[in-house]
Amino acid sequence: MRKPKRCPFFTTSFAALPGLLFALIVLTPARAQNITELQRGFERPPDDARIMMRWWWFGPAVTKSELEREMRLMKEGGIGGFEVQPVYPLLPDNPAAGIKNLPFLSNEFIDALRFVSTKARELGLRIDLTLGSGWPYGGPQVPITEAAGTLRTERVKVQGNVRRIPVPNTMPGEKLLAAFLARTDGPTIIAESLRELTDIRDGAVWLPSGLQAPHEVLFFVSGRTGMQVKRPAVGAEGYVLNHLDKQATEQYLKNVGDRLMQAFGSNPPYAIFCDSLEVYNQDWTPDFLEEFSKRRGYDLKPHLPALLTDVGPKTFEIRRDWGKTLSELYHERFLQPLHDWARRNNTLLRVQNYGVPAVTLSGYADVDLPEGEGAQWKVVRGTRWASSASHIYGRSVTSSETWTWLHSPSFRATPLDMKAEADRHFLMGINQLIGHGWPYTAEGVEYPGWRFYAAAVFDEKNPWWIVMPDISRYLQRSSFLLRQGTAVNDVALYLPNNDGWAHFPTGNPHLIEILRDRVGTDVISSILESGYTFDFFDDDVLLKTGRVEQDKLVLGSARYRVVVLPGVERIPLETMRKLEEFTRGGGIVISTRRLPAIVPGMKATAAEQTELHDIVKRLFEGSSAKAHLVEDEKQTLRSKLISLLQPAMSMTPSVADIGFVHRRAGAAEIFFVANTSNMRQTVKATFRVTDMKPEWWNPFSGQVTAAKIEATSGSGTTVAIDLEPYGSRVLVFSKRTLPATDTNPTTTATPAIDLSTGWRVSFGTTTESVMMDQLRSWTDDEATRFFSGTATYERDVTVPDDFLRPGLSVRLDFGDGKPLPEQNLRAGMQAWLDSPVREAAVVYINEQRAGSVWCPPYEVDVTNLLRRGNNKFRILVANVATNYMAGRRLPDYRLLNLRYGERFQAQDMDKVQPIPSGLSGPVRLVSGLPRSGSALP
């Protein structure tokens, strides 16, 4: 499969293209860059690598003037675009206050969307569109007959000599499928006693006479979940769509999708978006029995009890066949029609393709822009699920819903929190961040404005917005570089979908969650901590894209040296044959915990089971065995991997909290390295790169300098890396030779100057100031306890001559952060570090901007702005909006809920309290030798 280029922003000429031609242009391979071109792009990264925001339109009570103001603010903050997401109202209509909720899909709503589309193009902002309101897809356009389906079961105890049991009530769109009689032992069903009851008449099922032991009747109904759209806008309330019904999908696209596209005319959105699939309890559709019979080759109806209880040895194979059928129906009846619709409308499809219904990784084959979610980088999560698909299917951009639940409650998240989570997304192969998010705020709403019920806020209402352009630039440069070339991952980690399907419970066929439990954390941690990176793959990926090239397993656009089977029980015969071929060419196959033993499915034959057993025996047993069984995934797997393949990056000492990403772009080897912990980590890292020179590429400043080589060998190059808490570095290897950094070792440093006293501090726009002889938190003073905003710290500093000697650099040092005990959070994440700058600062020396401080290292290089003698220092320090909120009554949603129903519950409001703010010190002016590989901007 050819590698696609980075998708440019749409223009009128693109929008006018027919869908197929448009798709061909989007998937045209990009020209390989040389190292000079790569550096030029890194220094001035293109706009399409900027972060984006999920833009919540509450109500939507939007006006054109406020929409334009917020778009302009996004652009000023370094944000490259947005995803429109209409959600629940926050105020009832109030003409006097200018609040009017525009019903979803109304003419007024479409007009507002049309205005935003036009203005976004004028401002050079990307616009994506959620194809609905809230999530999942659904609303008033979905009748009950097209609503999400479920297999409803009822168990009725048989009392005494009763011969007649009324059948369950059914609603429109529901149907009784079957009834079974079973003998019971307490809550347990005796499997061998099950028999289908066929005498159903007069609204009841009739039982045989003479029943002695306790019995129950099991009813199976093709039902509807009744689930309503979550967090809908006004006019978007209604049933969630049946994602297993193609006709229902096409009707939804006609009624909702086509209506939304009327706002765009000949200029469609860059992409349409489908949020995470949370169609709770969707495990059935009315024609499921017919489809199951066609696909699996037998009638499921007599075996329905297997979906509810253990009916013997074939229970798990029946469930496997049911789960696989669910996955196929979702893909064919929802995802493919949605992709086809996007093509016809000359736009791209961006999907979070995981959740319920039973979604597989291979479904991303029909997604232009795979998207993930979740910062947990050592478990099975949608984030790496999406990036793995991108690497395999040749998508150069993988996005993630980023900062969901970050440091709850709303407005509490800090720039350091942003970086700490974003770096974890980068470690999982993400290179487009979709911030969660940006809340639209109507004019006149009290500060700090509207906020989503459970998410961080990244708009100008948060005081630390003063450094948002700097944060955005770091994320933009990193995103750009992590799109270049191809991912270099040694390990392909097999997803045992068949085991997952076999263990589906009724009502929650959530494949990724079941796989998370079955794969576990040990195997992933061992791979990463041994110095390798990996992608997930499944059987369908292997079947449709896989081939063997000598000792490489090629999956689409990606190549792997190692395949790991994590505790696999069921595996298709075709997969095992391909893995045997892989080992014959020198490829490495490692099975953990157990060996594969079952060809999945009820229709698997004895001959197939025998062949699987023979392949496994040839691969894993005897002196000629080419594959490896590892029972201990924590230690033995690590040693086995390292003995078979040199790590891509090894560290001395080994640090589990450091991760890396490796990409190859032309003649350049790119490594992004991140410390995910709140402790400084200093290591010597050996990279599996020879005959190339390392360079530090600073994503904060764009500066490129030579890196010092500690050692070289025939198998790698060693570089010392000093990573501050939550620090990150980019190391690029190339054939060129840069001038060595002149550290002038004959020059000695000068004692630091302590600047921790004598600051004049003014708050907000006031001209009055207070003297701080000792730096302290704003919350220590009652007058500023609930202040949210920017304070200005000023003082004069006399700089001696010896500070400015050639060869020395001078840094304004704000001190180190203090690690905090890490806690288990209900959701999301945060950085566990008490910063000496709460939460961001911009430094001016002699009225010239020196830089900003918002993450470790808490220092700014001021060398070129200092002069001998007197210097004016001015520091703008900003905190979070939480402090202001803590001094006011929180919003009362009682009247809102009475008007619209309770559509949300604000999360963690008990945590709204004043947060320490300002500079805590010590603050010093430090003169010393330049530091190689520093993260200083």
Side-chain angles (χ1 to χ4, degrees):
M1 182 177 290
R2 296 185 298 174
K3 173 186 173 297
K5 68 176 181 179
R6 214 171 356 97
C7 301
F9 286 102
F10 276 173
T11 62
T12 302
S13 58
F14 266 93
L17 291 171
L20 179 59
L21 179 57
F22 165 76
L24 291 174
I25 291 178
V26 168
L27 296 176
T28 301
R31 179 179 61 86
Q33 294 178 311
N34 61 38
I35 190 67
T36 302
E37 293 172 325
L38 187 65
Q39 181 179 341
R40 189 180 302 121
F42 177 73
E43 292 169 346
R44 297 178 179 82
D47 288 345
D48 66 356
R50 293 178 185 267
I51 65 172
M52 291 178 59
M53 284 292 162
R54 178 171 295 183
W55 194 7
W56 292 297
W57 290 11
F58 294 103
V62 296
T63 62
K64 292 179 180 178
S65 59
E66 178 62 21
L67 289 168
E68 180 174 349
R69 189 188 78 85
E70 294 188 15
M71 283 189 284
R72 292 187 180 277
L73 280 169
M74 289 185 203
K75 189 171 181 66
E76 291 172 10
I79 296 166
F82 50 85
E83 159 207 312
V84 175
Q85 172 60 278
V87 290
Y88 54 85
L90 281 173
L91 283 174
D93 287 359
N94 184 349
I99 301 295
K100 182 180 181 182
N101 292 291
L102 312 180
F104 183 64
L105 299 186
S106 66
N107 290 337
E108 292 170 297
F109 172 81
I110 295 297
D111 185 53
L113 192 58
R114 183 179 295 113
F115 169 80
V116 166
S117 172
T118 301
K119 186 59 64 174
R121 294 175 188 283
E122 178 185 314
L123 296 173
L125 295 171
R126 166 178 160 179
I127 175 172
D128 286 8
L129 178 66
T130 304
L131 217 63
S133 169
W135 69 94
Y137 286 179
Q141 300 81 10
V142 177
I144 186 63
T145 53
E146 296 178 2
T150 189
L151 181 62
R152 185 156 61 87
T153 60
E154 292 188 17
R155 295 174 60 169
V156 181
K157 292 184 182 298
V158 177
Q159 303 292 340
N161 294 319
V162 172
R163 293 287 311 281
R164 179 183 184 278
I165 302 292
V167 300
N169 289 323
T170 55
M171 300 295 289
E174 296 189 326
K175 178 185 177 182
L176 177 65
L177 296 173
F180 294 83
L181 180 66
R183 194 171 68 252
T184 58
D185 182 6
T188 303
I189 293 172
I190 309 302
E192 57 270 21
S193 73
L194 279 162
R195 54 173 163 163
E196 186 175 356
L197 298 171
T198 57
D199 189 359
I200 303 175
R201 51 191 164 83
D202 301 327
V205 59
W206 293 79
L207 308 178
S209 60
L211 297 178
Q212 297 298 322
H215 284 78
E216 288 186 6
V217 175
L218 313 181
F219 290 105
F220 292 85
V221 177
S222 174
R224 303 290 172 173
T225 69
M227 182 184 178
Q228 304 290 296
V229 173
K230 298 173 68 175
R231 325 301 176 206
V234 172
E237 309 87 349
Y239 292 116
V240 166
L241 175 72
N242 183 354
H243 288 54
L244 307 181
D245 184 334
K246 184 175 182 180
Q247 181 178 351
T249 299
E250 291 177 341
Q251 279 296 114
Y252 180 85
L253 293 173
K254 177 182 177 182
N255 295 331
V256 178
D258 290 353
R259 172 62 171 157
L260 287 168
M261 295 304 287
Q262 291 176 10
F264 296 90
S266 60
N267 294 310
Y270 181 88
I272 59 167
F273 175 60
C274 178
D275 208 341
S276 56
L277 296 159
E278 299 175 26
V279 189
Y280 301 142
N281 305 122
Q282 166 97 76
D283 61 4
W284 200 260
T285 195
D287 66 342
F288 190 89
L289 289 178
E290 294 84 351
E291 286 296 323
F292 184 96
S293 179
K294 287 191 295 185
R295 297 162 187 267
R296 306 283 82 89
Y298 66 97
D299 185 5
L300 177 62
K301 184 180 174 183
H303 303 287
L304 283 172
L307 308 185
L308 184 64
T309 187
D310 186 349
V311 298
K314 289 297 185 180
T315 299
F316 290 114
E317 302 318 311
I318 295 168
R319 291 185 184 179
R320 176 267 180 189
D321 290 347
W322 165 56
K324 182 174 176 60
T325 304
L326 287 172
S327 296
E328 291 172 352
L329 291 176
Y330 160 79
H331 188 94
E332 297 169 17
R333 295 181 167 190
F334 176 76
L335 192 58
Q336 286 180 342
L338 182 60
H339 193 213
D340 292 342
W341 183 92
R343 288 281 181 89
R344 292 196 303 271
N345 284 276
N346 297 317
T347 185
L348 299 177
L349 177 60
R350 179 164 64 88
V351 180
Q352 294 181 359
N353 198 53
Y354 45 87
V356 179
V359 187
T360 63
L361 181 147
S362 50
Y364 274 117
D366 283 300
V367 176
D368 302 308
L369 299 170
E371 177 157 305
E373 177 186 7
Q376 297 82 6
W377 65 297
K378 293 186 179 182
V379 299
V380 178
R381 279 300 303 242
T383 312
R384 198 184 299 271
W385 181 287
S387 69
S388 299
S390 285
H391 299 155
I392 291 165
Y393 293 119
R395 315 289 194 255
S396 59
V397 175
T398 311
S399 59
S400 64
E401 177 186 310
T402 317
W403 308 309
T404 309
W405 294 89
L406 180 67
H407 208 156
S408 185
S410 297
F411 287 107
R412 179 62 184 86
T414 70
L416 177 58
D417 292 326
M418 291 178 67
K419 181 182 188 297
E421 179 171 330
D423 285 349
R424 291 190 181 193
H425 287 256
F426 290 148
L427 290 179
M428 289 184 280
I430 297 302
N431 50 31
Q432 171 66 71
L433 303 178
I434 313 287
H436 189 276
W438 184 290
Y440 173 95
T441 297
E443 299 172 72
V445 173
E446 182 186 5
Y447 179 84
W450 283 343
R451 76 295 307 252
F452 199 61
Y453 76 100
V457 176
F458 304 104
D459 62 19
E460 89 291 359
K461 304 294 195 307
N462 242 330
W464 54 255
W465 175 262
I466 61 173
V467 300
M468 189 65 172
D470 301 305
I471 302 169
S472 298
R473 200 65 165 174
Y474 164 78
L475 299 173
Q476 181 185 4
R477 281 201 181 94
S478 300
S479 297
F480 163 78
L481 203 59
L482 294 175
R483 296 179 182 187
Q484 306 311 303
T486 57
V488 183
N489 293 330
D490 290 314
V491 178
L493 182 58
Y494 177 75
L495 292 174
N497 288 354
N498 289 282
D499 286 340
W501 289 322
H503 289 85
F504 270 1
T506 54
N508 188 30
H510 200 307
L511 184 59
I512 199 169
E513 285 189 351
I514 292 175
L515 291 177
R516 184 178 305 135
D517 291 338
R518 295 195 66 81
V519 172
T521 59
D522 291 344
V523 65
I524 292 177
S525 296
S526 293
I527 292 169
L528 294 174
E529 293 165 19
S530 299
Y532 309 92
T533 50
F534 74 93
D535 284 327
F536 295 120
F537 78 105
D538 62 23
D539 297 299
D540 198 57
V541 166
L542 182 64
L543 177 65
K544 295 180 179 177
T545 75
R547 67 182 186 277
V548 174
E549 290 185 0
Q550 296 179 337
D551 61 349
K552 306 288 194 308
L553 179 65
V554 181
L555 299 176
S557 300
R559 300 167 120 72
Y560 305 94
R561 293 288 309 280
V562 181
V563 171
V564 174
L565 307 176
V568 176
E569 185 175 10
R570 289 166 185 80
I571 195 165
L573 194 51
E574 298 87 345
T575 298
M576 230 35 240
R577 290 168 179 160
K578 183 66 70 174
L579 294 180
E580 184 176 31
E581 179 188 353
F582 175 50
T583 61
R584 284 200 298 267
I588 301 167
V589 173
I590 301 174
S591 187
T592 71
R593 285 176 261 157
R594 57 171 301 141
L595 294 176
I598 300 173
V599 176
M602 269 278 283
K603 301 294 285 185
T605 66
E608 290 172 328
Q609 298 288 1
T610 299
E611 184 180 349
L612 175 67
H613 175 79
D614 291 344
I615 294 174
V616 169
K617 186 174 182 179
R618 286 196 300 270
L619 281 178
F620 292 93
E621 298 179 14
S623 58
S624 61
K626 297 181 182 297
H628 312 270
L629 172 63
V630 172
E631 295 182 356
D632 179 1
E633 292 176 337
K634 287 187 176 181
Q635 297 300 327
T636 312
L637 177 58
R638 298 184 193 189
S639 58
K640 177 62 69 175
L641 280 167
I642 293 171
S643 70
L644 296 170
L645 179 67
Q646 182 187 351
M649 188 187 96
S650 57
M651 292 176 285
T652 306
S654 178
V655 179
D657 294 316
I658 294 178
F660 71 97
V661 175
H662 180 197
R663 295 188 70 88
R664 180 171 296 128
E669 302 287 338
I670 302 168
F671 289 86
F672 174 89
V673 183
N675 175 15
T676 64
S677 78
N678 60 358
M679 304 289 292
R680 178 178 290 276
Q681 308 288 354
T682 301
V683 300
K684 289 188 177 180
T686 299
F687 298 88
R688 195 177 58 203
V689 178
T690 59
D691 301 323
M692 301 178 85
K693 303 294 177 58
E695 304 170 3
W696 295 115
W697 288 36
N698 189 326
F700 293 90
S701 65
Q703 183 181 11
V704 173
T705 57
K708 180 183 177 182
I709 298 176
E710 296 289 324
T712 59
S713 67
S715 58
T717 302
T718 302
V719 177
I721 305 180
D722 183 22
L723 287 163
E724 57 279 344
Y726 302 110
S728 55
R729 299 287 186 276
V730 174
L731 201 61
V732 177
F733 290 83
S734 74
K735 291 289 187 180
R736 71 180 179 182
T737 302
L738 294 180
T741 303
D742 182 12
T743 56
N744 194 5
T746 61
T747 302
T748 58
T750 301
I753 301 174
D754 189 353
L755 303 178
S756 301
T757 60
W759 290 94
R760 300 181 303 277
V761 183
S762 58
F763 291 87
T765 58
T766 180
T767 57
E768 298 180 2
S769 62
V770 297
M771 288 298 299
M772 280 195 185
D773 290 330
Q774 295 293 329
L775 294 173
R776 61 184 182 272
S777 170
W778 307 345
T779 56
D780 292 345
D781 298 331
E782 192 59 35
T784 54
R785 176 173 171 78
F786 300 110
F787 175 78
S788 290
T790 303
T792 303
Y793 290 65
E794 296 179 286
R795 65 161 290 174
D796 292 338
V797 177
T798 300
V799 177
D801 291 352
D802 57 359
F803 253 63
L804 303 177
R805 285 175 294 162
L808 295 180
S809 67
V810 184
R811 304 182 303 277
L812 184 61
D813 185 345
F814 293 90
D816 296 325
K818 299 176 183 178
L820 298 171
E822 296 194 17
Q823 304 173 26
N824 291 324
L825 300 175
R826 179 169 64 94
M829 68 163 291
Q830 67 181 72
W832 298 99
L833 190 73
D834 186 3
S835 165
V837 179
R838 302 297 298 267
E839 301 297 336
V842 179
V843 176
Y844 292 87
I845 307 295
N846 299 318
E847 298 306 322
Q848 296 188 61
R849 192 180 193 274
S852 66
V853 177
W854 50 272
C855 67
Y858 295 104
E859 55 187 27
V860 176
D861 191 317
V862 296
T863 308
N864 297 327
L865 299 181
L866 291 175
R867 58 194 180 210
R868 291 175 173 82
N870 189 60
N871 291 262
K872 179 180 287 294
F873 280 45
R874 179 164 60 93
I875 306 173
L876 304 183
V877 182
N879 65 344
V880 291
T882 309
N883 290 24
Y884 181 91
M885 293 168 59
R888 270 76 179 168
R889 290 276 187 182
L890 296 174
D892 181 357
Y893 298 116
R894 182 178 57 88
L895 293 178
L896 178 75
N897 293 339
L898 288 172
R899 172 64 181 86
Y900 297 110
E902 189 177 46
R903 304 193 182 196
F904 67 96
Q905 291 182 344
Q907 301 294 302
D908 294 329
M909 290 297 99
D910 59 314
K911 296 180 181 178
V912 176
Q913 56 188 345
I915 306 302
S917 303
L919 302 180
S920 59
V923 178
R924 302 182 306 153
L925 199 62
V926 180
S927 178
L929 301 177
R931 294 188 298 193
S932 177
S934 171
L936 283 174

